[in-house]
Amino acid sequence: MQPTLLILAAGMASRYGSLKQIQQFGPSGETIIDYSIYDAIRAGFGKIVFIIRKDFEAEFREIFEPKLKGRVAVDYVYQEMDAYLNGYPVPADRSKPWGTAHAVLCAKDAINEPFAVINGDDFYGRDSFEKMATFLQNACKPDVYSVVGYELGKTISEHGSVSRGVCAADEKGNLAAINERTKVYKDGNQIVYEDADGSKHPLAADTPVSMNFWGFHPSVFTLSQQLFKDFLAKDGDKPKSEFFIPIVVDHFIKNKLGVVNVLPCAAQWFGVTYKEDAPGVQTSLSALVESGEYPDNLWK
């Protein structure tokens, strides 16, 4: 069975200021998502599932359906505020989505096979998709998940703080722990993360981090649903609380439900957290096209 690619594209884009998931960066008007889908198809993925908000479904369909028709199966799932709350009332002061793990949970009825999860605004590169496809086709089980591990120093924006899942691997190359750091940035000559109280903590440039490129067995949906219920009971009344994928993964590891293989990747990641990142993304994509890694028109 061919694996599925789940693309998280329902974010509010609050820091970026616009719907960055469909901004054109490639020489023939390609979005970053186009490059991810192109890499996924040539790596052997058989279906694409978009997690979006219903209010921009029409834009997504108009952009992607003509390109992908006849190339790969496509489905759309909506991350709505009341999804999987099971009677829990949406707080009146809640304005942002419930987080990445909730977004994955919203795809429960659309995916029945091993699948990968990526962000819609991150460029991951061909090698990472090939490694993930190999894992999903050959090693993924209810007790074996995976994550692509990038070097922190190759994932930092020059224009502001970013969120990163900081990984610790054991001697077998499996994930020992992951901690979501929501404010990571360059501070002089070092990289630091900042706690809610403003205290700073240094991080080495070669620290492995998750860029939200995960490999899961569909059994993760059952686990996520239970943990989301627990999350709501504990933090649901906090307007800025989020149910992150690392919460699910950390529980999976600490409760010895299985292992998470770290798939190492030394590639230069790039993405568009801020508008100021856009020119650098365009330059990087142009260089990859000129080197022959991608055609100048992906879907011609």
Side-chain angles (χ1 to χ4, degrees):
M1 183 178 293
Q2 290 179 295
T4 287
L5 179 65
L6 177 63
I7 302 177
L8 305 183
M12 300 285 282
S14 58
R15 289 175 296 184
Y16 191 74
S18 63
L19 194 56
K20 58 186 172 180
Q21 294 92 338
I22 56 177
Q23 182 170 342
Q24 298 177 353
F25 291 100
S28 297
E30 293 89 352
T31 66
I32 288 181
I33 291 176
D34 280 311
Y35 286 93
S36 292
I37 294 174
Y38 183 86
D39 283 333
I41 291 173
R42 61 179 174 176
F45 285 78
K47 182 169 72 173
I48 307 298
V49 177
F50 288 106
I51 285 279
I52 59 174
R53 295 205 315 272
K54 197 170 181 63
D55 59 348
F56 53 73
E57 175 187 4
E59 292 175 274
F60 259 74
R61 288 186 179 274
E62 182 180 350
I63 290 171
F64 292 106
E65 288 194 354
K67 301 173 182 177
L68 302 180
K69 186 176 182 180
R71 299 177 187 271
V72 67
V74 179
D75 199 359
Y76 299 86
V77 177
Y78 313 112
Q79 185 182 14
E80 300 298 340
M81 197 74 77
D82 59 352
Y84 291 94
L85 294 190
N86 295 317
Y88 185 91
V90 177
D93 54 355
R94 182 87 193 183
S95 61
K96 66 188 305 182
W98 290 106
T100 54
H102 177 254
V104 172
L105 180 56
C106 289
K108 181 176 183 290
D109 294 332
I111 299 175
N112 300 299
E113 57 283 320
F115 67 101
V117 178
I118 64 168
N119 293 331
D121 52 5
D122 290 340
F123 178 89
Y124 295 98
R126 179 178 186 171
D127 180 59
S128 59
F129 281 94
E130 291 179 345
K131 288 179 177 176
M132 182 58 76
T134 297
F135 166 81
L136 294 172
Q137 291 167 335
N138 300 302
C140 186
K141 300 175 184 178
D143 60 350
V144 184
Y145 299 162
S146 71
V147 61
V148 176
Y150 288 79
E151 295 177 7
L152 174 61
K154 295 181 178 179
T155 73
I156 296 296
S157 171
E158 296 291 336
H159 305 291
S161 66
V162 295
S163 295
R164 295 290 179 260
V166 178
C167 303
D170 63 21
E171 67 280 357
K172 295 181 179 179
N174 294 321
L175 192 64
I178 183 165
N179 294 293
E180 186 73 14
R181 305 303 185 192
T182 57
K183 194 171 184 180
V184 182
Y185 57 93
K186 284 187 176 180
D187 185 25
N189 293 323
Q190 64 178 351
I191 300 171
V192 302
Y193 74 87
E194 190 174 312
D195 281 332
D197 62 4
S199 59
K200 298 178 182 179
H201 308 271
L203 289 168
D206 61 354
T207 300
V209 295
S210 160
M211 300 307 300
N212 246 18
F213 196 164
W214 299 94
F216 291 124
H217 186 274
S219 60
V220 76
F221 293 122
T222 300
L223 175 61
S224 298
Q225 195 163 2
Q226 178 56 53
L227 293 179
F228 185 51
K229 181 180 178 181
D230 298 342
F231 166 84
L232 290 173
K234 180 183 178 183
D235 296 315
D237 60 344
K238 301 172 183 175
K240 294 186 178 181
S241 62
E242 292 188 68
F243 183 48
F244 293 116
I245 292 173
I247 293 174
V248 177
V249 172
D250 206 44
H251 178 93
F252 180 78
I253 295 169
K254 288 182 177 178
N255 288 273
K256 302 187 185 304
L257 302 179
V259 298
V260 179
N261 296 168
V262 178
L263 309 179
C265 180
Q268 177 69 48
W269 166 94
F270 54 87
V272 281
T273 305
Y274 300 93
K275 280 188 177 294
E276 292 84 358
D277 294 325
V281 170
Q282 292 174 313
T283 298
S284 297
L285 288 174
S286 294
L288 288 168
V289 170
E290 290 174 7
S291 72
E293 179 65 21
Y294 297 97
D296 58 7
N297 187 326
L298 292 182
W299 309 115
K300 186 174 181 180

